[in-house]
Amino acid sequence: MAAPDVAEVRRLLQEGNVQLVLVSPSLHDVSWEGLVSDLCALHAVPIWVWGGHAHPKERQRALAAGAAAYHDKPHDIEGYKTLLREIERVVEPR
């Protein structure tokens, strides 16, 4: 499920309907690092940063903010398959 804004993410997390949060570093209205840090402090849900490119400093910043993982956005079908398998390992079927 995609959330249109941070308020919706927080609402969904409070309801307990979320098993994994993917955060993009390209957020416009909020610091993605601050958001990751805040969400990690308040919720036990894994937070993954899903970046557009593998910049080592971005990966380091994500992990320092408390993200459980940093993944590059896949650029081909095999990359998406790999990412989906990794998500399946974290998210329990409902």
Coordinates of all heavy atoms in Angstrom, one line a residue:
M1 N 0.8 -1.2 0.0 CA 0.0 0.0 0.0 C 0.9 1.2 0.0 O 1.8 1.3 0.8 CB -0.9 0.0 1.2 CG -1.5 1.3 1.6 SD -2.4 1.3 3.2 CE -3.6 0.0 2.9
A2 N 0.6 2.2 -0.8 CA 1.4 3.4 -0.9 C 0.6 4.5 -0.1 O -0.6 4.5 0.0 CB 1.5 3.9 -2.3
A3 N 1.4 5.3 0.7 CA 0.8 6.3 1.4 C 1.2 7.7 0.8 O 2.3 7.9 0.4 CB 1.4 6.3 2.9
P4 N 0.2 8.6 0.6 CA 0.4 9.8 -0.1 C 1.3 10.8 0.7 O 1.8 11.7 0.1 CB -1.0 10.3 -0.3 CG -1.8 9.8 0.8 CD -1.2 8.4 1.0
D5 N 1.3 10.6 2.0 CA 2.1 11.6 2.8 C 2.5 11.0 4.2 O 2.1 9.9 4.5 CB 1.3 12.9 3.1 CG -0.1 12.6 3.7 OD1 -0.2 11.8 4.6 OD2 -1.1 13.3 3.2
V6 N 3.3 11.7 4.9 CA 3.9 11.2 6.2 C 2.7 11.0 7.2 O 2.8 10.0 7.9 CB 4.9 12.2 6.7 CG1 5.4 11.7 8.1 CG2 6.1 12.2 5.7
A7 N 1.7 11.8 7.2 CA 0.6 11.6 8.2 C 0.0 10.3 7.9 O -0.4 9.6 8.9 CB -0.4 12.8 8.0
E8 N -0.2 9.9 6.7 CA -0.9 8.6 6.4 C 0.0 7.4 6.8 O -0.4 6.4 7.3 CB -1.2 8.5 4.9 CG -1.9 7.2 4.5 CD -3.3 7.1 5.0 OE1 -3.8 8.0 5.7 OE2 -3.9 6.0 4.8
V9 N 1.3 7.6 6.6 CA 2.3 6.5 7.1 C 2.1 6.4 8.6 O 2.0 5.2 9.1 CB 3.7 6.9 6.7 CG1 4.7 5.9 7.3 CG2 3.9 6.9 5.2
R10 N 2.2 7.5 9.3 CA 2.1 7.4 10.7 C 0.7 6.8 11.2 O 0.7 6.0 12.1 CB 2.2 8.8 11.4 CG 3.6 9.3 11.2 CD 3.8 10.7 11.9 NE 5.0 11.3 11.5 CZ 6.2 11.1 12.0 NH1 6.3 10.1 12.9 NH2 7.2 11.8 11.6
R11 N -0.4 7.1 10.5 CA -1.7 6.6 10.8 C -1.7 5.1 10.6 O -2.2 4.3 11.5 CB -2.8 7.2 10.0 CG -4.2 6.8 10.4 CD -5.2 7.3 9.4 NE -5.2 6.7 8.1 CZ -5.6 5.4 7.8 NH1 -6.0 4.7 8.8 NH2 -5.5 4.9 6.6
L12 N -1.2 4.6 9.5 CA -1.1 3.2 9.2 C -0.3 2.4 10.2 O -0.6 1.3 10.6 CB -0.6 3.0 7.8 CG -1.6 3.4 6.7 CD1 -0.9 3.4 5.3 CD2 -2.8 2.6 6.6
L13 N 0.9 3.0 10.6 CA 1.7 2.4 11.6 C 1.0 2.3 12.9 O 1.1 1.2 13.6 CB 3.0 3.1 11.7 CG 4.0 2.9 10.6 CD1 5.1 3.9 10.6 CD2 4.6 1.5 10.7
Q14 N 0.3 3.3 13.3 CA -0.4 3.3 14.6 C -1.5 2.2 14.6 O -1.8 1.6 15.6 CB -1.0 4.6 14.9 CG 0.1 5.6 15.3 CD -0.5 7.0 15.5 OE1 -1.6 7.4 15.0 NE2 0.3 7.9 16.1
E15 N -2.1 2.0 13.4 CA -3.2 1.0 13.3 C -2.6 -0.4 13.4 O -3.3 -1.4 13.6 CB -4.0 1.1 12.0 CG -4.9 2.3 12.0 CD -5.6 2.5 10.7 OE1 -5.4 1.7 9.8 OE2 -6.5 3.4 10.7
G16 N -1.3 -0.6 13.1 CA -0.7 -1.9 13.1 C -0.8 -2.7 11.9 O -0.7 -3.9 11.9
N17 N -1.2 -2.0 10.8 CA -1.4 -2.7 9.5 C -0.2 -2.7 8.6 O -0.3 -3.1 7.4 CB -2.6 -2.0 8.8 CG -3.9 -2.1 9.5 OD1 -4.1 -3.1 10.2 ND2 -4.7 -1.1 9.4
V18 N 1.0 -2.4 9.1 CA 2.1 -2.3 8.3 C 3.2 -3.2 8.8 O 3.5 -3.3 10.0 CB 2.7 -0.8 8.3 CG1 4.0 -0.7 7.5 CG2 1.6 0.2 7.8
Q19 N 3.8 -3.9 7.8 CA 4.9 -4.9 8.2 C 6.3 -4.4 7.7 O 7.3 -4.9 8.1 CB 4.6 -6.2 7.6 CG 3.4 -6.9 8.1 CD 3.1 -8.2 7.6 OE1 4.1 -9.1 7.5 NE2 1.9 -8.5 7.1
L20 N 6.3 -3.5 6.8 CA 7.5 -2.9 6.2 C 7.2 -1.6 5.6 O 6.2 -1.4 5.0 CB 8.0 -3.9 5.1 CG 9.2 -3.5 4.2 CD1 10.5 -3.4 5.1 CD2 9.4 -4.4 3.1
V21 N 8.2 -0.6 5.8 CA 8.1 0.7 5.2 C 9.2 0.9 4.3 O 10.4 0.7 4.6 CB 8.0 1.8 6.3 CG1 8.0 3.2 5.6 CG2 6.9 1.6 7.2
L22 N 8.9 1.3 3.0 CA 9.9 1.7 2.1 C 9.9 3.2 2.0 O 8.9 3.8 1.7 CB 9.6 1.1 0.7 CG 9.6 -0.4 0.5 CD1 9.2 -0.8 -0.9 CD2 11.0 -1.0 0.9
V23 N 11.1 3.8 2.2 CA 11.2 5.3 2.2 C 12.1 5.6 1.0 O 13.2 5.1 0.9 CB 11.8 5.8 3.5 CG1 12.0 7.3 3.4 CG2 10.8 5.5 4.6
S24 N 11.7 6.6 0.2 CA 12.5 7.1 -0.9 C 13.3 8.3 -0.4 O 12.7 9.2 0.2 CB 11.7 7.4 -2.1 OG 12.5 8.1 -3.0
P25 N 14.6 8.4 -0.7 CA 15.4 9.6 -0.4 C 14.9 10.8 -1.2 O 15.4 11.9 -0.9 CB 16.8 9.2 -0.7 CG 16.8 7.8 -0.8 CD 15.5 7.3 -1.2
S26 N 14.1 10.7 -2.1 CA 13.7 11.8 -3.0 C 12.4 12.5 -2.4 O 11.7 13.1 -3.2 CB 13.5 11.3 -4.4 OG 12.5 10.4 -4.5
L27 N 12.1 12.3 -1.2 CA 11.0 13.0 -0.6 C 11.2 14.5 -0.7 O 12.3 15.0 -0.5 CB 10.8 12.6 0.9 CG 10.5 11.2 1.2 CD1 10.5 10.9 2.7 CD2 9.1 10.9 0.7
H28 N 10.1 15.2 -0.9 CA 10.2 16.7 -1.2 C 9.9 17.5 0.0 O 10.5 18.6 0.3 CB 9.4 17.1 -2.3 CG 9.7 16.4 -3.6 ND1 10.9 16.7 -4.3 CD2 9.1 15.4 -4.3 CE1 10.9 15.9 -5.4 NE2 9.9 15.1 -5.4
D29 N 8.9 17.1 0.8 CA 8.4 17.9 1.9 C 9.0 17.6 3.3 O 8.7 18.3 4.3 CB 6.9 17.8 2.0 CG 6.2 18.3 0.7 OD1 6.8 19.0 0.0 OD2 5.1 17.9 0.5
V30 N 9.9 16.6 3.4 CA 10.4 16.2 4.7 C 11.8 15.6 4.5 O 12.1 15.1 3.4 CB 9.4 15.2 5.3 CG1 9.3 13.9 4.5 CG2 9.7 14.9 6.7
S31 N 12.6 15.7 5.5 CA 13.9 15.1 5.5 C 13.7 13.5 5.6 O 13.1 13.1 6.6 CB 14.7 15.5 6.7 OG 15.7 14.6 7.0
W32 N 14.2 12.8 4.6 CA 14.0 11.4 4.7 C 14.8 10.8 5.8 O 14.3 9.8 6.5 CB 14.4 10.7 3.3 CG 15.8 10.8 3.0 CD1 16.4 11.7 2.2 CD2 16.8 9.9 3.3 NE1 17.8 11.5 2.1 CE2 18.0 10.3 2.7 CE3 16.9 8.7 4.0 CZ2 19.3 9.6 2.9 CZ3 18.1 8.0 4.2 CH2 19.2 8.5 3.6
E33 N 15.9 11.3 6.2 CA 16.7 10.8 7.3 C 16.0 11.0 8.6 O 15.9 10.1 9.5 CB 18.1 11.5 7.3 CG 18.9 11.1 6.2 CD 20.1 12.0 6.0 OE1 19.9 13.1 5.4 OE2 21.2 11.7 6.5
G34 N 15.4 12.2 8.8 CA 14.6 12.5 10.0 C 13.4 11.6 10.1 O 13.0 11.1 11.1
L35 N 12.7 11.3 8.9 CA 11.6 10.5 8.9 C 12.0 9.0 9.3 O 11.3 8.4 10.2 CB 10.9 10.5 7.5 CG 9.7 9.5 7.4 CD1 8.6 9.8 8.3 CD2 9.3 9.5 5.9
V36 N 13.0 8.5 8.8 CA 13.5 7.2 9.1 C 13.8 7.1 10.6 O 13.4 6.2 11.3 CB 14.7 6.8 8.2 CG1 15.4 5.5 8.8 CG2 14.3 6.6 6.8
S37 N 14.5 8.1 11.1 CA 14.9 8.1 12.5 C 13.6 8.1 13.4 O 13.6 7.4 14.4 CB 15.8 9.3 12.8 OG 16.2 9.4 14.1
D38 N 12.7 9.0 13.1 CA 11.5 9.1 13.9 C 10.7 7.8 13.8 O 10.2 7.3 14.9 CB 10.6 10.2 13.4 CG 11.1 11.6 13.6 OD1 12.1 11.7 14.4 OD2 10.6 12.6 13.1
L39 N 10.5 7.2 12.7 CA 9.7 6.0 12.5 C 10.4 4.8 13.3 O 9.7 4.1 13.9 CB 9.5 5.6 11.1 CG 8.6 6.6 10.3 CD1 8.5 6.2 8.8 CD2 7.2 6.7 10.9
C40 N 11.7 4.8 13.2 CA 12.4 3.7 13.9 C 12.3 3.8 15.4 O 12.2 2.8 16.1 CB 13.9 3.7 13.5 SG 14.2 3.1 11.8
A41 N 12.3 5.1 15.9 CA 12.1 5.3 17.3 C 10.8 5.0 17.9 O 10.6 4.6 19.0 CB 12.5 6.8 17.6
L42 N 9.7 5.1 17.0 CA 8.4 4.9 17.5 C 7.8 3.5 17.2 O 6.8 3.2 17.8 CB 7.5 6.0 16.9 CG 7.8 7.4 17.3 CD1 7.0 8.4 16.5 CD2 7.6 7.6 18.8
H43 N 8.3 2.8 16.2 CA 7.7 1.6 15.7 C 8.7 0.5 15.5 O 9.8 0.8 15.1 CB 6.9 1.9 14.4 CG 5.9 3.0 14.5 ND1 4.7 2.8 15.1 CD2 6.0 4.3 14.2 CE1 4.0 3.9 15.1 NE2 4.8 4.9 14.6
A44 N 8.3 -0.7 15.7 CA 9.2 -1.9 15.5 C 9.1 -2.4 14.1 O 9.6 -3.5 13.9 CB 8.8 -3.0 16.5
V45 N 8.6 -1.7 13.2 CA 8.5 -2.2 11.8 C 9.8 -1.9 11.1 O 10.3 -0.8 11.2 CB 7.3 -1.4 11.1 CG1 7.2 -1.7 9.6 CG2 6.0 -1.8 11.8
P46 N 10.3 -2.8 10.3 CA 11.5 -2.5 9.5 C 11.3 -1.4 8.6 O 10.3 -1.3 7.9 CB 11.8 -3.8 8.8 CG 10.9 -4.9 9.4 CD 9.8 -4.2 10.1
I47 N 12.3 -0.5 8.5 CA 12.2 0.6 7.6 C 13.4 0.4 6.6 O 14.5 0.3 7.0 CB 12.5 2.0 8.3 CG1 11.5 2.1 9.6 CG2 12.3 3.2 7.3 CD1 10.1 2.2 9.3
W48 N 13.0 0.4 5.3 CA 14.0 0.2 4.3 C 14.1 1.5 3.5 O 13.0 2.1 3.1 CB 13.7 -0.9 3.3 CG 13.9 -2.3 3.8 CD1 14.2 -2.6 5.1 CD2 13.7 -3.5 3.1 NE1 14.3 -4.0 5.2 CE2 13.9 -4.5 4.0 CE3 13.3 -3.7 1.8 CZ2 13.9 -5.9 3.6 CZ3 13.2 -5.1 1.4 CH2 13.5 -6.1 2.3
V49 N 15.2 2.0 3.2 CA 15.4 3.1 2.3 C 15.6 2.5 0.9 O 16.4 1.6 0.7 CB 16.6 4.0 2.7 CG1 16.8 5.1 1.7 CG2 16.3 4.6 4.1
W50 N 14.9 3.1 -0.1 CA 14.8 2.5 -1.4 C 15.3 3.6 -2.4 O 14.6 4.5 -2.8 CB 13.4 2.1 -1.8 CG 13.2 1.3 -2.9 CD1 14.0 0.3 -3.3 CD2 12.1 1.3 -3.8 NE1 13.5 -0.4 -4.4 CE2 12.3 0.3 -4.8 CE3 11.0 2.1 -3.9 CZ2 11.4 0.0 -5.8 CZ3 10.1 1.8 -5.0 CH2 10.3 0.8 -5.9
G51 N 16.7 3.7 -2.6 CA 17.3 4.7 -3.3 C 17.4 4.5 -4.8 O 17.2 3.4 -5.3
G52 N 17.6 5.6 -5.5 CA 17.6 5.6 -6.9 C 19.0 5.1 -7.5 O 19.0 4.7 -8.6
H53 N 20.0 5.3 -6.7 CA 21.3 4.8 -7.1 C 22.2 4.5 -5.9 O 21.9 4.9 -4.8 CB 22.0 5.9 -8.0 CG 21.9 7.3 -7.4 ND1 22.4 7.7 -6.2 CD2 21.2 8.3 -7.8 CE1 22.1 8.9 -6.0 NE2 21.3 9.3 -6.9
A54 N 23.1 3.6 -6.1 CA 23.9 3.1 -5.0 C 25.1 4.1 -4.7 O 26.2 3.9 -5.0 CB 24.5 1.8 -5.4
H55 N 24.7 5.2 -4.1 CA 25.7 6.1 -3.6 C 26.1 5.7 -2.2 O 25.3 5.6 -1.3 CB 25.2 7.5 -3.6 CG 26.3 8.5 -3.5 ND1 26.8 8.9 -2.3 CD2 26.9 9.2 -4.4 CE1 27.8 9.7 -2.4 NE2 27.9 10.0 -3.7
P56 N 27.4 5.3 -2.0 CA 27.8 4.8 -0.7 C 27.4 5.7 0.5 O 27.0 5.3 1.6 CB 29.3 4.7 -0.8 CG 29.6 4.6 -2.2 CD 28.5 5.4 -2.9
K57 N 27.5 7.0 0.3 CA 27.2 8.0 1.4 C 25.7 7.9 1.7 O 25.3 8.0 2.9 CB 27.6 9.4 1.1 CG 29.1 9.6 1.2 CD 29.5 11.0 1.0 CE 31.0 11.1 1.1 NZ 31.5 12.4 1.0
E58 N 24.9 7.8 0.7 CA 23.4 7.7 1.0 C 23.1 6.4 1.7 O 22.3 6.4 2.7 CB 22.6 7.7 -0.4 CG 21.2 7.8 -0.2 CD 20.5 8.1 -1.5 OE1 20.1 7.1 -2.2 OE2 20.2 9.2 -1.8
R59 N 23.7 5.3 1.4 CA 23.5 4.1 2.1 C 24.0 4.2 3.6 O 23.3 3.8 4.5 CB 24.4 3.0 1.4 CG 24.2 1.6 2.0 CD 25.1 0.6 1.4 NE 25.0 0.6 -0.1 CZ 24.0 -0.1 -0.8 NH1 23.2 -0.8 -0.1 NH2 24.0 0.0 -2.1
Q60 N 25.1 4.8 3.8 CA 25.6 5.0 5.2 C 24.7 5.9 6.0 O 24.4 5.7 7.1 CB 27.0 5.7 5.1 CG 28.1 4.8 4.6 CD 29.4 5.5 4.3 OE1 29.5 6.7 4.4 NE2 30.4 4.7 4.0
R61 N 24.2 7.0 5.3 CA 23.2 7.9 6.0 C 21.9 7.2 6.4 O 21.4 7.4 7.4 CB 22.9 9.1 5.1 CG 24.1 10.0 5.0 CD 24.0 11.2 4.1 NE 22.6 11.7 3.8 CZ 22.2 12.2 2.7 NH1 23.0 12.2 1.6 NH2 21.0 12.6 2.5
A62 N 21.4 6.3 5.5 CA 20.2 5.5 5.8 C 20.4 4.6 7.0 O 19.6 4.6 7.9 CB 19.8 4.7 4.5
L63 N 21.5 3.9 7.0 CA 21.8 3.0 8.1 C 22.0 3.7 9.4 O 21.6 3.3 10.5 CB 22.9 2.1 7.7 CG 22.7 1.1 6.5 CD1 23.9 0.3 6.2 CD2 21.4 0.3 6.7
A64 N 22.7 4.9 9.3 CA 22.9 5.7 10.5 C 21.6 6.2 11.1 O 21.5 6.4 12.3 CB 23.9 6.8 10.2
A65 N 20.6 6.5 10.2 CA 19.3 7.0 10.7 C 18.5 5.9 11.3 O 17.5 6.2 11.9 CB 18.6 7.6 9.5
G66 N 18.9 4.7 11.1 CA 18.2 3.5 11.8 C 17.5 2.6 10.8 O 16.9 1.7 11.2
A67 N 17.7 2.8 9.5 CA 17.0 1.9 8.5 C 17.6 0.5 8.7 O 18.8 0.4 9.0 CB 17.3 2.4 7.1
A68 N 16.7 -0.4 8.5 CA 17.1 -1.8 8.6 C 17.9 -2.2 7.4 O 18.7 -3.2 7.4 CB 15.9 -2.7 8.7
A69 N 17.7 -1.5 6.2 CA 18.4 -1.9 5.0 C 18.3 -0.7 4.0 O 17.4 0.2 4.2 CB 17.7 -3.1 4.3
Y70 N 19.2 -0.7 3.1 CA 19.2 0.2 2.0 C 19.2 -0.6 0.7 O 20.1 -1.5 0.5 CB 20.4 1.1 2.0 CG 20.5 2.1 0.8 CD1 20.0 3.4 1.0 CD2 21.0 1.7 -0.4 CE1 20.0 4.3 -0.1 CE2 21.0 2.6 -1.5 CZ 20.6 3.9 -1.3 OH 20.6 4.7 -2.3
H71 N 18.3 -0.3 -0.2 CA 18.2 -1.1 -1.5 C 18.2 -0.1 -2.6 O 17.5 1.0 -2.5 CB 17.0 -1.9 -1.6 CG 17.0 -3.1 -0.6 ND1 17.6 -4.2 -0.8 CD2 16.4 -3.2 0.7 CE1 17.5 -5.0 0.2 NE2 16.8 -4.4 1.1
D72 N 18.9 -0.4 -3.7 CA 18.8 0.4 -4.9 C 17.5 0.1 -5.6 O 17.1 -1.1 -5.7 CB 20.0 0.2 -5.8 CG 21.3 0.5 -5.1 OD1 21.3 1.5 -4.4 OD2 22.3 -0.2 -5.3
K73 N 16.9 1.0 -6.3 CA 15.8 0.7 -7.1 C 16.3 -0.1 -8.3 O 17.2 0.3 -9.0 CB 15.1 2.0 -7.6 CG 14.4 2.8 -6.5 CD 13.8 4.1 -7.0 CE 13.1 4.8 -5.8 NZ 12.6 6.1 -6.2
P74 N 15.6 -1.2 -8.5 CA 16.1 -2.1 -9.6 C 15.9 -1.4 -11.0 O 14.9 -0.5 -11.2 CB 15.1 -3.3 -9.5 CG 14.6 -3.2 -8.2 CD 14.5 -1.8 -7.8
H75 N 16.7 -1.7 -11.9 CA 16.6 -1.1 -13.3 C 16.3 -2.2 -14.3 O 16.2 -1.9 -15.5 CB 17.9 -0.4 -13.6 CG 18.2 0.7 -12.7 ND1 17.5 1.9 -12.7 CD2 19.1 0.8 -11.7 CE1 18.0 2.7 -11.8 NE2 19.0 2.0 -11.1
D76 N 16.0 -3.4 -13.9 CA 15.6 -4.5 -14.8 C 14.7 -5.5 -14.0 O 14.5 -5.4 -12.8 CB 16.8 -5.2 -15.4 CG 17.7 -5.8 -14.4 OD1 17.2 -6.1 -13.2 OD2 18.9 -6.0 -14.7
I77 N 14.1 -6.4 -14.8 CA 13.1 -7.3 -14.2 C 13.8 -8.2 -13.2 O 13.2 -8.5 -12.1 CB 12.4 -8.1 -15.3 CG1 11.2 -8.9 -14.7 CG2 13.3 -9.1 -16.0 CD1 10.1 -8.0 -14.2
E78 N 15.0 -8.6 -13.4 CA 15.7 -9.5 -12.4 C 15.9 -8.8 -11.1 O 15.8 -9.4 -10.0 CB 17.0 -10.0 -13.0 CG 16.8 -11.0 -14.1 CD 15.9 -12.2 -13.7 OE1 16.1 -12.8 -12.6 OE2 15.0 -12.5 -14.5
G79 N 16.2 -7.5 -11.2 CA 16.4 -6.7 -10.0 C 15.1 -6.6 -9.2 O 15.1 -6.7 -7.9
Y80 N 14.0 -6.4 -9.9 CA 12.7 -6.4 -9.2 C 12.4 -7.7 -8.6 O 11.8 -7.8 -7.5 CB 11.6 -5.9 -10.1 CG 11.5 -4.4 -10.3 CD1 12.0 -3.8 -11.4 CD2 10.9 -3.7 -9.3 CE1 12.0 -2.4 -11.5 CE2 10.9 -2.3 -9.4 CZ 11.4 -1.7 -10.5 OH 11.4 -0.3 -10.6
K81 N 12.7 -8.8 -9.2 CA 12.4 -10.1 -8.7 C 13.2 -10.4 -7.4 O 12.7 -10.9 -6.4 CB 12.8 -11.2 -9.7 CG 11.8 -11.3 -10.9 CD 12.3 -12.4 -11.8 CE 11.3 -12.5 -13.0 NZ 11.8 -13.5 -14.0
T82 N 14.5 -9.9 -7.4 CA 15.3 -10.1 -6.2 C 14.8 -9.2 -5.1 O 14.7 -9.7 -4.0 CB 16.8 -9.6 -6.6 OG1 17.3 -10.4 -7.6 CG2 17.7 -9.7 -5.3
L83 N 14.4 -8.0 -5.4 CA 13.8 -7.1 -4.3 C 12.5 -7.8 -3.8 O 12.3 -7.8 -2.5 CB 13.5 -5.7 -4.9 CG 12.9 -4.8 -3.9 CD1 13.9 -4.5 -2.7 CD2 12.6 -3.4 -4.5
L84 N 11.7 -8.3 -4.6 CA 10.4 -8.9 -4.1 C 10.7 -10.1 -3.2 O 10.0 -10.4 -2.2 CB 9.5 -9.3 -5.3 CG 8.9 -8.1 -6.0 CD1 8.2 -8.6 -7.3 CD2 7.9 -7.4 -5.1
R85 N 11.7 -10.9 -3.6 CA 12.1 -12.1 -2.8 C 12.6 -11.6 -1.4 O 12.3 -12.2 -0.4 CB 13.2 -12.9 -3.5 CG 12.6 -13.8 -4.5 CD 13.6 -14.9 -5.0 NE 14.8 -14.2 -5.6 CZ 14.9 -13.9 -6.9 NH1 13.9 -14.2 -7.7 NH2 16.0 -13.4 -7.4
E86 N 13.3 -10.5 -1.4 CA 13.8 -10.0 -0.1 C 12.7 -9.5 0.7 O 12.6 -9.7 2.0 CB 14.8 -8.9 -0.3 CG 16.1 -9.4 -0.9 CD 17.2 -8.3 -1.1 OE1 17.3 -7.4 -0.3 OE2 17.9 -8.4 -2.1
I87 N 11.7 -8.8 0.1 CA 10.5 -8.3 0.8 C 9.7 -9.5 1.4 O 9.3 -9.5 2.5 CB 9.6 -7.4 -0.1 CG1 10.3 -6.1 -0.3 CG2 8.2 -7.2 0.5 CD1 9.7 -5.2 -1.4
E88 N 9.6 -10.6 0.6 CA 8.8 -11.8 1.1 C 9.5 -12.4 2.3 O 8.8 -13.0 3.1 CB 8.8 -12.8 0.0 CG 7.8 -12.4 -1.1 CD 7.8 -13.4 -2.3 OE1 8.8 -14.1 -2.5 OE2 6.8 -13.4 -3.0
R89 N 10.8 -12.3 2.4 CA 11.5 -12.8 3.6 C 11.1 -12.0 4.9 O 11.2 -12.5 6.0 CB 13.0 -12.8 3.4 CG 13.4 -14.0 2.5 CD 15.0 -14.1 2.6 NE 15.7 -13.2 1.8 CZ 16.1 -13.3 0.6 NH1 15.8 -14.4 0.0 NH2 16.8 -12.4 0.0
V90 N 10.8 -10.7 4.7 CA 10.6 -9.9 5.9 C 9.1 -9.8 6.2 O 8.7 -9.8 7.4 CB 11.0 -8.4 5.5 CG1 10.6 -7.5 6.6 CG2 12.5 -8.4 5.3
V91 N 8.2 -9.8 5.2 CA 6.8 -9.7 5.4 C 6.1 -11.0 5.5 O 6.3 -11.9 4.7 CB 6.2 -8.9 4.2 CG1 4.7 -8.8 4.3 CG2 6.8 -7.5 4.1
E92 N 5.3 -11.2 6.6 CA 4.6 -12.4 6.8 C 3.3 -12.4 6.0 O 2.6 -11.4 5.9 CB 4.2 -12.6 8.3 CG 5.4 -12.7 9.2 CD 5.0 -12.8 10.6 OE1 3.8 -13.1 10.9 OE2 5.9 -12.6 11.4
P93 N 2.9 -13.5 5.4 CA 1.6 -13.6 4.7 C 0.5 -13.3 5.6 O 0.5 -13.7 6.8 CB 1.6 -15.0 4.1 CG 2.8 -15.7 4.5 CD 3.6 -14.8 5.4
R94 N -0.6 -12.7 5.1 CA -1.7 -12.4 6.0 C -2.9 -13.2 5.5 O -3.1 -13.6 4.5 CB -2.1 -10.9 5.8 CG -1.1 -10.1 6.5 CD -1.6 -8.6 6.6 NE -0.5 -7.8 7.2 CZ -0.7 -7.0 8.1 NH1 -1.9 -6.8 8.6 NH2 0.3 -6.3 8.6

